């Protein structure tokens, strides 16, 4: 797997190497161009100096003609012209030396300079020749035509050669050299220009090509990384980055994948912990709700049982009060009368003691049900006890309570105290809703299904047929009942029914309507 950095290095190398090569070539061309320009300048200076030398020679010839015609002493002008010619020859020699040094540095041919050495020698000879000839002109006092013609002929000759032709040939040669140097300089500048254009075009095209390749190679991994980051932003940490050609992006993808795995695992653990916490909270909430329901039910049961016991305690207290009042009103009764009265008081007191024990049990365990002490009980004894209690209650209300002439001698398996409570509740309820001087009757019978029926019949205010289902509700009282007895609580029938169900029996209420009296019937299974 290649590295993207390696691609960058390769690209930089591909761009840098041609740039270095072109720079080196450009540097060489610039040196060559500078050399050619300098050689052209030197050639131009030599040509200019040679032209000036030729002009100075012509001035010296004119001076000679003027000297021949006018005579006189004009040596100063002659020396000035000859000095200029020497300076021009020295300038040509100096430029020649510079050209030789440049050509030696560039390792060029020195053939041209050998020819120029001959030119310099020629110029020195010309100067010496002209100096000698002009000196002869000054020596003649009155030169004749023959002498002048001879001197003039010698003035234009040097070693049998025409001085004018020699200088013209030298100037033409220098003109050719000057043109060559200018052409070479132009060629060098043109080559440099072409090199720079070619280098710029090549480097530009190569740079664009490499930029396209690198951007295309970079675009794909960046797009994949962008897709992965967007997936992570949307919460999809299962997305995985793969198939990268470059080592840097592959390493980055591995790091991002590892990060996504850690985040996913952390979210999974957080979800599990949250679910566990929610389940724990739900379980604790359920437990607390159940405990609260139990507490509410317990509190409701406690309140209900306390109300029931309070209701039940009122009956024996009333009986005790009635028995005591009867005993106090009696005059000169025998001991048997008081003994019976005290026995009934003791019985009622024992009943109250049982109710108080129930109250203590409720305090200790509010959720406990009313305890039952089942035993075999003779029906006549239970009926007799209930009638005695009811008669005491009836005496207070001036209501007569009557029982059957004879109670069938049968045995029940039941709790005698709870059964006594049920019967007293029914009898007390009948007494309370009877009219003064009214009668409440208790009747017993054995039904065909071998169950015992005990009916309490009164001729009191009665119950509306539509109100019968509601008489079992705690605290509910019909309008007629509230008008007949405002202080009632509406608990008697509800308590009697609850105790009857605990004993395995049922209670039904029947009434023909208001003012028609009521019949409450208790049915209990008989012992086999």
């Amino acid at each position: 797997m290649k590295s993207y950095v390696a691609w960058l290095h390769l690209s930089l190398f591909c761009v840098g190497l041609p740039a270095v090569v072109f720079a080196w070539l450009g540097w060489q061309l610039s040196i060559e161009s500078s050399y050619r320009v300098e050689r052209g300048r030197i050639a131009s200076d030599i040509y200019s100096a040679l032209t000036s030398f030729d002009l100075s020679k012509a001035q010296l010839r004119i001076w000679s003609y003027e000297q021949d015609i006018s005579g006189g002493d004009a040596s100063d002008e002659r020396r000035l012209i000859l000095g200029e010619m020497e300076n021009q020859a020295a300038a040509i020699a100096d430029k020649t030396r510079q050209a030789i040094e440049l050509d030696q540095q560039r390792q060029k041919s020195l053939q041209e300079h050998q020819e120029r050495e001959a030119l310099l020698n020629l110029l020195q000879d010309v100067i010496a020749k002209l100096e000698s000839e002009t000196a002869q002109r000054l020596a003649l006092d009155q030169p004749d035509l023959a002498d002048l013609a001879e001197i003039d002929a010698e003035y234009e000759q040097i070693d049998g050669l025409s001085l004018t032709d020699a200088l013209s040939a030298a100037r033409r040669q220098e003109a050719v050299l000057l043109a060559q140097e200018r052409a070479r300089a132009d060629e060098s500048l043109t080559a440099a220009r072409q090199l720079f254009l070619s280098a710029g075009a090549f480097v530009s095209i190569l740079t664009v090509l490499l930029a396209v390749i690198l951007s295309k190679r970079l675009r794909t991994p960046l797009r994949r990384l962008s897709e992965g980051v967007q997936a992570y932003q949307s919460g999809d940490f299962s997305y995985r980055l793969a198939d990268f050609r470059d080592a840097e992006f592959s390493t980055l993808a591995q790091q991002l994948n590892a990060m996504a795995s850690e985040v996913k695992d952390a979210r999974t653990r957080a979800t599990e912990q949250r679910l566990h916490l929610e389940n724990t909270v739900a379980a604790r909430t359920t437990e607390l709700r159940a405990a609260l329901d139990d507490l509410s039910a317990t509190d409701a049961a406690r309140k209900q049982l306390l109300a029931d016991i309070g209701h039940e305690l009122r009956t024996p207290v009333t009986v005790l009060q009635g028995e005591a009042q009867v005993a106090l009103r009696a005059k000169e009764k025998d001991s048997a009368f008081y003994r019976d009265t005290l026995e009934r008081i003791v019985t009622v007191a024992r009943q109250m003691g049982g109710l108080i024990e129930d109250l203590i049990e409720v305090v200790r365990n509010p959720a406990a049900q009313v305890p039952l002490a089942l035993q075999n009980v003779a029906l006549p004894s239970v009926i007799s006890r209930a009638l005695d209690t009811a008669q005491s209650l009836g005496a207070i209300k001036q209501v007569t309570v009557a029982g059957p002439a004879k109670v069938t001698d049968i045995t029940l398996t039941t709790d005698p105290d709870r059964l006594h409570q049920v019967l007293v509740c029914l009898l007390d309820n009948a007494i309370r809703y009877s009219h003064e001087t009214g009668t409440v009757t208790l009747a017993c019978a054995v039904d065909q299904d071998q169950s015992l029926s005990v009916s309490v019949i009164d001729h009191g205010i009665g119950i509306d047929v539509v109100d019968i289902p509601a008489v079992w509700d705690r605290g509910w009282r019909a309008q007629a009942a509230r008008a007949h007895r405002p202080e009632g609580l509406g608990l008697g029938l509800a308590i009697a029914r609850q105790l009857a169900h605990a004993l395995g029996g049922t209670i039904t209420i029947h009434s023909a309507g208001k003012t028609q009296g009521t019949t409450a019937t208790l049915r209990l299974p008989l012992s086999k």
Side-chain angles (χ1 to χ4, degrees), residues 83-218:
E84 290 179 356
M85 293 178 69
E86 290 177 352
N87 291 334
Q88 292 161 357
I92 292 173
D94 183 64
K95 295 298 180 181
T96 300
R97 180 183 55 78
Q98 293 179 10
I100 291 173
E101 291 177 355
L102 288 175
D103 288 347
Q104 286 177 344
Q105 292 175 359
R106 300 292 298 173
Q107 297 180 355
K108 301 291 183 178
S109 174
L110 301 180
Q111 181 65 33
E112 173 187 340
H113 304 297
Q114 293 176 358
E115 296 176 357
R116 193 162 286 150
E117 288 292 337
L119 174 63
L120 290 173
N121 293 330
L122 174 63
L123 293 180
Q124 293 297 327
D125 292 341
V126 169
I127 293 173
K129 173 72 175 177
L130 293 177
E131 184 178 6
S132 175
E133 292 295 330
T134 54
Q136 292 180 8
R137 289 291 179 102
L138 290 175
L140 295 175
D141 294 332
Q142 292 291 327
D144 55 15
L145 293 177
D147 293 335
L148 291 175
E150 183 180 357
I151 294 173
D152 188 58
E154 291 295 331
Y155 193 85
E156 289 293 333
Q157 297 290 327
I158 185 170
D159 297 333
L161 296 177
S162 172
L163 185 58
T164 301
D165 292 341
L167 291 177
S168 297
R171 283 193 296 107
R172 287 194 299 272
Q173 179 65 28
E174 290 299 329
V176 170
L177 293 175
L178 176 60
Q180 290 178 352
E181 292 299 335
R182 288 179 175 176
R184 290 170 183 171
D186 291 340
E187 290 176 357
S188 297
L189 293 175
T190 301
R193 187 182 304 108
Q194 291 177 351
L195 176 64
F196 290 137
L197 291 176
S198 300
F202 177 80
V203 172
S204 299
I205 295 173
L206 181 60
T207 301
V208 171
L209 180 62
L210 291 175
V212 170
I213 295 175
L214 291 175
S215 63
K216 184 177 180 181
R217 191 178 182 89
L218 183 62

Side-chain angles (χ1 to χ4, degrees), residues 39 65 77 81 91-92 96 192 220 241 250 278 298 319 334 358 369 399 407 431 487 514:
R39 288 288 282 111
Y65 287 140
E77 183 178 357
I81 294 173
I92 292 173
T96 300
T220 300
L241 298 167
S250 179
E278 289 177 354
T298 300
V319 172
D334 56 9
D358 291 342
Q369 299 295 326
V399 175
V407 179
I431 293 169
E487 73 276 9
K514 292 181 179 180

Side-chain angles (χ1 to χ4, degrees), residues 435-447:
H435 301 292
E436 290 186 359
T437 70
T439 301
V440 174
T441 305
L442 186 146
C444 297
V446 178
D447 298 332

Side-chain angles (χ1 to χ4, degrees), residues 58-99:
Q59 289 179 356
L60 189 59
R61 186 182 182 90
I62 293 171
W63 173 83
S64 298
Y65 287 140
E66 291 177 349
Q67 182 67 29
D68 292 339
I69 294 172
S70 60
D73 188 2
S75 59
D76 292 337
E77 183 178 357
R78 168 180 167 273
R79 284 194 298 271
L80 180 62
I81 294 173
L82 288 174
E84 290 179 356
M85 293 178 69
E86 290 177 352
N87 291 334
Q88 292 161 357
I92 292 173
D94 183 64
K95 295 298 180 181
T96 300
R97 180 183 55 78
Q98 293 179 10

